[in-house]
């Protein structure tokens, strides 16, 4: 079951140029930086209420985020919904004819399990499912 928006992912060329806006101007809580090797990105996490803002900075040219910025510029990259059972969620989506990018969950920031829905199936909004570390999985 999807329980809430977990975070909004925003592609940036440089954290230095954008972290101060969210942290110092808007006053969001800064949770820290983390490298996600699998995605070739460094992530800056900020929190407002129950929702996080994930600033994604590419750490190599082969990063999907580098390609995204090259094609479309900086900006909103994806919306992530939190689920309490990612594997069950994926099979329910597939039963409904939804096309997944990831049919098997992979590891995201903070040891979450994540899977992306193909934008073809979600109105061209790149949509991520994520399950918190330690949450139950069916
Ligand atoms: Zn994300």
């Amino acid at each position: 079951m999807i329980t809430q928006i977990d975070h909004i992912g925003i592609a940036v060329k440089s954290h230095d140029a954008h972290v101060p806006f969210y942290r110092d101007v808007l006053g969001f809580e800064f949770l820290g930086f983390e490298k996600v090797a699998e995605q070739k990105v460094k992530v800056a996490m900020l929190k407002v209420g129950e929702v996080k803002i994930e600033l994604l900075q590419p750490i190599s040219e082969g990063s999907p985020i580098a390609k995204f910025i090259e094609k479309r510029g900086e900006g909103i990259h994806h919306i992530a919904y939190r689920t309490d059972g990612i594997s069950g969620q994926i099979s329910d989506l597939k039963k409904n004819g939804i096309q997944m990018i990831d049919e098997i969950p992979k590891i995201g920031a903070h040891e979450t399990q994540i899977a992306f829905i193909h934008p073809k199936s979600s109105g061209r909004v790149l949509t991520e499912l994520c399950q918190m570390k330690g949450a139950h999985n069916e």
Side-chain angles (χ1 to χ4, degrees), residues 7-9 54 56 78 80 114 116 128:
H7 64 267
I8 297 168
E54 182 182 75
L56 301 151
H78 65 272
I114 66 170
F116 283 96
E128 174 186 338

Side-chain angles (χ1 to χ4, degrees), residues 75-90:
I76 291 186
H77 179 259
H78 65 272
I79 296 179
Y81 298 109
R82 189 183 297 173
T83 170
D84 53 9
I86 195 164
S87 299
Q89 198 79 54
I90 292 169

Side-chain angles (χ1 to χ4, degrees), residues 2-131:
I2 288 173
T3 53
Q4 66 164 79
I5 291 180
D6 186 82
H7 64 267
I8 297 168
I10 299 173
V12 299
K13 289 180 189 163
S14 137
H15 283 143
D16 294 345
H18 297 280
V19 168
F21 169 70
Y22 290 97
R23 184 190 54 203
D24 306 330
V25 181
L26 297 184
F28 294 177
E29 183 188 353
F30 178 71
L31 301 178
F33 292 108
E34 186 182 345
K35 264 187 194 158
V36 182
E38 205 178 295
Q39 312 279 326
K40 301 188 185 80
V41 289
K42 189 176 163 198
V43 172
M45 279 288 193
L46 297 110
K47 197 174 179 199
V48 52
E50 290 303 310
V51 177
K52 285 167 281 185
I53 300 293
E54 182 182 75
L55 300 178
L56 301 151
Q57 177 191 303
I59 51 175
S60 86
E61 279 177 22
S63 164
I65 297 300
K67 286 180 198 142
F68 176 90
I69 292 172
E70 201 177 291
K71 251 169 95 179
R72 298 166 67 169
E74 294 178 301
I76 291 186
H77 179 259
H78 65 272
I79 296 179
Y81 298 109
R82 189 183 297 173
T83 170
D84 53 9
I86 195 164
S87 299
Q89 198 79 54
I90 292 169
S91 46
D92 285 352
L93 286 166
K94 285 169 67 184
K95 270 182 225 151
N96 282 290
I98 302 300
Q99 194 183 331
M100 299 298 300
I101 292 175
D102 305 301
E103 301 208 345
I104 294 163
K106 55 191 185 187
I107 301 301
H110 303 291
E111 298 177 61
T112 49
Q113 292 189 65
I114 66 170
F116 283 96
I117 297 173
H118 199 287
K120 264 187 205 160
S121 291
S122 52
R124 300 185 61 220
V125 176
L126 183 59
T127 302
E128 174 186 338
L129 301 171
C130 72
Q131 176 178 307

